[in-house]
Amino acid sequence: MGNAALMKENNIDTAHFDPSGSNMLVYVALENKCLALIHISDPVKENVAEAMDALGKMKIKTCMLTGDHYASAKETAGKLSITDFYADLLPEAIHQRQHRNQQHQTL
């Protein structure tokens, strides 16, 4: 189970599934064959928008890093007024980006 990047990394063909929409996507594969695509809607928690607004007022630069599908990440970023976001990331890429952001003082 994983996102499109994980399927690609493992040479698993997902072309026969429709990734359209803005839901989080989870591919299910077995023995290098993609069997299913699950669309998951994950609502933004109530206090997150308020927290992001407070960080913005303090002039703290933020960045969203996620393994979620690009359209889902873009929708969430829009709801939270986040302009800098990266989607379809594997855990190692998230870790590397976090390290870079910390060096540039970005949350």
Side-chain angles (χ1 to χ4, degrees), residues 8-107:
K8 184 175 181 179
E9 181 179 277
N10 288 284
N11 298 313
I12 298 172
D13 180 22
T14 61
H16 53 286
F17 289 99
D18 179 11
S20 63
S22 61
N23 292 328
M24 178 177 18
L25 302 175
V26 178
Y27 291 88
V28 179
L30 180 65
E31 297 178 359
N32 292 327
K33 182 176 180 180
C34 190
L35 304 174
L37 174 59
I38 302 168
H39 292 249
I40 301 171
S41 178
D42 189 15
V44 175
K45 292 180 179 53
E46 291 178 28
N47 60 343
V48 175
E50 184 179 317
M52 294 303 298
D53 187 48
L55 290 170
K57 287 178 180 174
M58 292 186 282
K59 305 290 186 213
I60 295 175
K61 185 177 178 189
T62 59
C63 176
M64 185 174 80
L65 309 173
T66 182
D68 289 356
H69 176 53
Y70 180 84
S72 177
K74 183 177 180 180
E75 182 178 309
T76 300
K79 288 178 183 176
L80 300 173
S81 300
I82 297 172
T83 57
D84 193 12
F85 71 95
Y86 298 87
D88 294 312
L89 298 175
L90 294 174
E92 182 59 30
I94 291 174
H95 177 73
Q96 290 171 354
R97 178 67 63 181
Q98 284 173 329
H99 181 71
R100 265 186 259 149
N101 288 353
Q102 287 169 351
Q103 290 176 331
H104 295 99
Q105 298 181 353
T106 301
L107 292 178

